[in-house]
């Protein structure tokens, strides 16, 4: 794998994760539990899709084959997507969405917090800009974890269950492959091992404050970074890519 | 007329805004609650037909623009519900009235969005019609409503331009895209004209609303304004308005247009439109399925308050 290949792959990992989880959040539009949350969740979705656009645009430039952000978003099939598996998991009820978001946001924040030091100018600038948004995402999902965990019996149950379910996808945040190795050596990528203890500590604290129980099953479901996805991504792409695929000659 | 009523009307006649703490006749208050909450419900139900295409937006730029637009509509709803609350009516109560069918929302949102061109047509025609209505309402007599309209109108005209731009792009695109655009116009034209409400002869509340300056123009006046603005825009797109009777009256300088199907209008208003049941179900399910979230937030806040008290 060349450094260019690695860099391209790394862009996809970052961009696809934001795009897919942002897309999932957008499914809530008009169906949120209360108007204020509709607005808040659309905001997060908007930020993430916006971030995805800028990384995918950069990915296209790195690749050098003239592919645009839209070519990459709309004309790649499942096996070529590099997002974390957690991002493609279904929304479920608002509790499940919040748990998924909390686990992702807390990682995302710590990740970008390191990426600001990247020797790649695009990444450092991108991280700095995105961080300003992601800090709000993390505050929002953390606040709801506390409210739901330490709210009513029902709400407690409605976050504990998805927490147990989704926990298996969190190991992937820190899974290192060939891409990381190449890019860490030249100061471009984040050393995931460095942020792992910080993430564990933050998540443990919030889970405790929320009177929830840390899942004990540490089995790690991996694959997203290599393009081996869960069954859900195919359906997301079928819906998302429908128009550009059905009308290949059209621009929108 | 009582003395209070006379003073109230005198204020209205001098175009002095009525504020929440001012005395007002019960019927005025009722009319406003009905009109503003109906407007708020329309913003919220209106999120659904457009939300329908967010996950299928054909480019990331369009996806972001549509998300932002629908978010604006949610903001409009929130803002208008606050205006309703200045009149002493609880927001959730008016929402429940909408879910039970007692309170109405704009019937245009009971039509389905069937192709991507509908995102353009909705922005161009539906936001376009809303602007004509709302520009007039900027001068409505109730202060909080009038100020809400000023704020909201700016965003609506952005939506209108965005929708129109989407259609310009499609009309200059492939044959299929242009057909989609024409089909969207065919489906949304008449319902857009219906957005202004029944003809003046069938609009029993108009006279009182005009006297109170809740309304500043009649339904038919506003509809005419909309047609005059919109027909040339359709021509620029190269699209045909689905009305064989449409023609410019050189003497008046206004377009004459065909008879609106009022039977369809009253049917849709009374629940028999293509998507009435789906829209109400979506909104009431959102509330029903979300109630535990609100309960959790309240229970948590209460626990925090108790903790503070002890500490
Ligand atoms: Fe609006
Ligand atoms: Fe609008």
């Amino acid at each position: 794998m060349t450094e260019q290949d690695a860099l391209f792959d790394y862009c996809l990992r970052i961009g696809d994760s934001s795009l897919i989880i942002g897309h999932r959040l957008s499914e809530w539009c008009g169906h949120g539990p209360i108007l204020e949350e509709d607005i808040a969740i659309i905001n997060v979705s908007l930020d993430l899709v916006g971030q995805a656009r800028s990384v995918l645009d950069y990915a296209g430039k790195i690749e050098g084959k003239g592919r645009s952000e839209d070519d990459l978003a709309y004309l790649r099939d499942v096996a070529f997507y590099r997002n974390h598996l957690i991002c493609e998991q279904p929304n479920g009820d608002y509790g499940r969405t919040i748990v998924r978001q909390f686990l992702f946001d807390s990682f995302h924040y710590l990740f970008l917090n390191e990426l600001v030091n990247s020797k790649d100018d695009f990444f450092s600038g991108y991280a700095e800009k995105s961080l300003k948004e992601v800090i709000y995402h993390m505050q929002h999902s953390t606040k709801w974890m506390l409210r739901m965990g330490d709210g009513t019996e029902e709400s407690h149950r409605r976050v504990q269950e998805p927490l147990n379910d989704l926990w298996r996808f969190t190991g992937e945040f820190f899974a290192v492959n060939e891409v990381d190795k190449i890019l860490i050596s030249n100061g471009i990528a984040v050393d995931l091992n460095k942020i792992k203890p910080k993430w564990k500590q933050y998540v443990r604290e919030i889970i405790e404050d929320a009177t929830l129980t840390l899942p004990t099953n540490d089995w790690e479901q991996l694959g997203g970074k290599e393009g081996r996805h869960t069954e859900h991504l195919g359906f997301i792409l079928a819906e998302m890519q429908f128009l550009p695929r059905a009308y290949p000659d059209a621009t929108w | 007329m009582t003395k209070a009523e006379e003073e109230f009307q005198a204020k209205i006649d001098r175009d002095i805004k009525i504020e929440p703490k001012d005395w007002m006749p019960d019927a005025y208050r009722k009319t406003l609650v009905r009109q503003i909450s109906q407007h708020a419900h329309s913003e919220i139900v209106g999120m659904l037909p457009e939300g329908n295409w967010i996950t299928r937006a054909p480019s990331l730029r369009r996806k972001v623009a549509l998300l932002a637009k629908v978010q604006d509509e949610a903001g409009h709803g929130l803002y208008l519900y606050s205006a309703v609350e200045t009149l002493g009516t609880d927001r959730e109560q008016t929402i429940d009235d909408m879910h039970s069918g007692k309170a109405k929302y704009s019937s245009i949102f009971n039509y389905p969005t069937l192709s991507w061109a509908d995102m353009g047509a909705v922005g161009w025609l539906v936001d376009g019609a809303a602007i004509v209505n709302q520009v007039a309402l900027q001068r409505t007599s109730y202060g909080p409503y009038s100020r809400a309209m000023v704020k909201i109108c700016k965003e609506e005209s952005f939506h209108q331009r965005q929708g129109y731009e989407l259609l310009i792009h499609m009309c200059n695109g492939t044959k299929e895209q242009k057909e989609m655009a024409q089909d969207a116009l065919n489906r949304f034209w008449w319902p857009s004209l219906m957005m202004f409400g029944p003809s003046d002869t069938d609009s029993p509340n108009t006279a009182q609303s005009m006297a109170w300056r809740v309304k500043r123009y009649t339904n038919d006046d506003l509809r005419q304004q909309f047609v005059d603005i919109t027909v040339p825009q359709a021509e620029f797109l190269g699209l045909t308005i689905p009305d064989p009777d449409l023609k410019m009256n050189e003497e008046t300088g206004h377009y004459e247009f065909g008879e609106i199907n009022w039977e369809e209008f009253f049917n849709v208003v009374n629940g028999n439109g293509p998507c009435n049941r789906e829209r109400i179900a979506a909104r009431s399910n959102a509330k029903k399925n979300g109630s535990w979230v609100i309960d959790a937030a309240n229970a948590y806040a209460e626990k925090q308050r108790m903790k503070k008290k002890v500490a």
Side-chain angles (χ1 to χ4, degrees):
Chain A
M1 185 183 269
T2 65
E3 186 183 316
Q4 188 194 8
D5 292 341
L7 194 54
F8 177 63
D9 207 88
Y10 201 62
C11 288
L12 296 183
R13 189 194 293 177
I14 299 172
D16 291 347
S17 292
S18 290
L19 176 61
I20 296 300
I21 200 167
H23 180 95
R24 275 293 190 216
L25 289 177
S26 77
E27 294 172 0
W28 272 105
C29 195
H31 307 279
I34 190 168
L35 206 41
E36 285 81 350
E37 279 307 297
D38 258 301
I39 293 175
I41 218 74
I42 299 174
N43 235 344
V44 179
S45 174
L46 268 171
D47 287 344
L48 290 168
V49 178
Q51 291 170 16
R53 288 184 66 187
S54 96
V55 193
L56 291 179
D57 176 68
Y58 183 57
K61 289 182 179 125
I62 294 295
E63 189 193 34
K65 289 182 186 164
R67 287 205 278 181
S68 68
E69 58 179 61
D70 286 332
D71 293 335
L72 289 169
Y74 288 91
L75 302 174
R76 271 182 304 149
D77 205 345
V78 170
F80 299 92
Y81 263 75
R82 292 288 180 270
N83 60 281
H84 294 111
L85 298 177
I86 196 168
C87 301
E88 67 203 44
Q89 299 311 304
N91 286 339
D93 68 5
Y94 206 60
R96 185 169 286 264
T97 294
I98 287 293
V99 171
R100 185 189 64 203
Q101 204 58 34
F102 166 72
L103 296 171
F104 178 77
D105 290 341
S106 47
F107 162 75
H108 198 197
Y109 172 78
L110 291 167
F111 175 79
L112 293 171
N113 211 27
E114 287 298 323
L115 193 66
V116 290
N117 303 317
S118 173
K119 289 210 174 109
D120 180 293
D121 286 343
F122 169 80
F123 280 139
S124 59
Y126 165 82
E128 200 176 312
K129 193 167 156 276
S130 303
L131 211 46
K132 292 193 187 107
E133 298 169 341
V134 171
I135 191 160
Y136 287 107
H137 305 174
M138 187 168 77
Q139 283 169 0
H140 178 258
S141 55
T142 297
K143 189 177 71 187
W144 277 106
M145 280 297 282
L146 295 170
R147 284 170 167 172
M148 288 174 177
D150 195 15
T152 64
E153 238 172 79
E154 181 184 8
S155 68
H156 182 91
R157 176 175 58 75
R158 282 181 187 263
V159 281
Q160 184 67 58
E161 276 176 17
L163 184 61
N164 298 344
D165 280 351
L166 294 172
W167 192 249
R168 70 200 144 115
F169 296 115
T170 59
E172 191 181 24
F173 291 147
F174 311 104
V176 172
N177 66 14
E178 184 71 20
V179 171
D180 298 81
K181 284 179 194 149
I182 292 172
L183 298 178
I184 287 174
S185 68
N186 54 20
I188 290 177
V190 171
D191 183 353
L192 295 169
N193 282 314
K194 214 165 127 190
I195 56 176
K196 188 173 181 177
K198 291 184 194 167
W199 181 82
K200 287 226 151 164
Q201 191 196 337
Y202 179 75
V203 167
R204 195 182 306 126
E205 270 171 28
I206 300 302
I207 287 178
E208 252 169 51
D209 284 354
T211 73
L212 294 161
T213 311
L214 199 69
T216 47
N217 184 345
D218 277 331
W219 156 251
E220 293 179 357
Q221 179 62 52
L222 308 178
K225 290 176 182 178
E226 283 79 34
R228 288 191 314 280
H229 289 273
T230 62
E231 290 175 343
H232 304 293
L233 185 62
F235 290 95
I236 294 178
L237 297 186
E239 189 173 341
M240 186 173 95
Q241 299 179 338
F242 145 67
L243 276 170
R245 298 266 193 202
Y247 301 94
D249 300 332
T251 66
W252 305 91
Chain B
M1 237 190 239
T2 66
K3 189 147 181 296
E5 279 170 341
E6 267 170 30
E7 278 173 19
F8 174 82
Q9 191 60 50
K11 249 169 130 178
I12 300 245
D13 294 342
R14 277 179 289 141
D15 257 335
I16 296 172
K17 295 277 179 249
I18 307 300
E19 294 301 331
K21 290 208 172 80
D22 296 347
W23 184 87
M24 61 187 85
D26 279 346
Y28 176 83
R29 187 184 297 273
K30 259 197 188 144
T31 300
L32 278 169
V33 168
R34 195 189 65 226
Q35 188 174 329
I36 304 174
S37 62
Q38 190 171 319
H39 191 164
H41 303 329
S42 303
E43 300 282 358
I44 302 309
V45 177
M47 293 169 73
L48 298 170
E50 289 183 287
N52 185 35
W53 278 89
I54 286 175
T55 54
R56 289 177 289 171
S59 76
L60 296 181
R61 179 173 82 89
R62 295 286 182 202
K63 193 185 191 75
V64 166
L66 185 58
L67 263 171
K69 191 220 184 220
V70 177
Q71 187 188 37
D72 284 347
E73 307 301 2
H76 298 168
L78 206 55
Y79 206 57
L80 286 163
Y81 283 126
S82 316
V84 174
E85 290 191 322
T86 64
L87 292 158
T89 301
D90 178 51
R91 154 177 151 185
E92 293 307 314
Q93 181 56 52
T94 70
I95 290 175
D96 291 340
D97 284 348
M98 187 240 305
H99 296 170
S100 74
K102 206 173 123 195
K104 304 290 178 205
Y105 54 88
S106 182
S107 57
I108 189 96
F109 300 119
N110 291 315
Y111 290 86
T113 51
L114 301 176
S115 84
W116 176 250
D118 291 14
M119 296 304 98
V122 168
W124 172 38
L125 300 173
V126 178
D127 287 78
I131 293 166
V132 171
N133 246 323
Q134 292 171 12
V135 165
L137 285 170
Q138 289 179 350
R139 290 170 57 236
T140 194
S141 59
Y142 187 55
Y145 192 28
S146 141
R147 289 188 287 274
M149 285 302 104
V150 173
K151 197 176 147 170
I152 289 173
C153 267
K154 285 189 197 133
E155 293 184 349
E156 301 296 14
S157 44
F158 180 73
H159 298 164
Q160 195 268 350
R161 284 199 301 274
Q162 189 171 276
Y164 192 62
E165 186 268 331
L166 191 158
L167 284 178
I168 292 179
H169 194 93
M170 285 186 74
C171 288
N172 289 317
T174 66
K175 186 170 154 281
E176 283 123 327
Q177 284 177 302
K178 182 131 193 204
E179 282 166 3
M180 273 185 223
Q182 181 64 55
D183 180 56
L185 175 59
N186 293 349
R187 284 179 289 109
F188 278 97
W189 173 254
W190 290 106
S192 301
L193 296 195
M194 293 177 198
M195 278 177 75
F196 297 94
S199 175
D200 296 343
T201 47
D202 290 312
S203 191
N205 303 322
T206 295
Q208 180 61 77
S209 289
M210 298 277 285
W212 278 334
R213 300 199 178 171
V214 169
K215 250 184 161 160
R216 307 290 312 226
Y217 299 93
T218 70
N219 295 350
D220 287 334
D221 284 345
L222 293 170
R223 188 166 14 244
Q224 184 65 54
Q225 258 189 52
F226 174 72
V227 172
D228 289 342
I229 296 170
T230 310
V231 173
Q233 294 173 343
E235 281 166 4
F236 181 79
L237 291 173
L239 297 178
T240 310
I241 303 255
D243 177 1
D245 298 326
L246 185 82
K247 62 171 188 292
M248 174 50 105
N249 180 326
E250 298 295 345
E251 253 164 64
T252 61
H254 294 294
Y255 284 96
E256 288 172 2
F257 50 93
E259 185 63 31
I260 290 171
N261 182 347
W262 291 114
E263 196 190 324
E264 174 181 327
F265 171 78
F266 286 110
N267 251 316
V268 179
V269 167
N270 291 319
N272 296 322
C275 298
N276 295 55
R277 283 162 208 267
E278 285 83 354
R279 301 295 185 236
I280 292 285
R283 290 309 307 158
S284 62
N285 285 338
K287 182 165 177 172
K288 202 170 67 203
N289 298 335
S291 65
W292 69 270
V293 178
I294 314 307
D295 293 344
N298 290 336
Y300 179 76
E302 179 62 16
K303 283 184 193 173
Q304 293 303 107
R305 202 177 60 82
M306 294 303 283
K307 269 189 202 158
K308 251 192 206 144
K309 227 176 171 182
V310 175

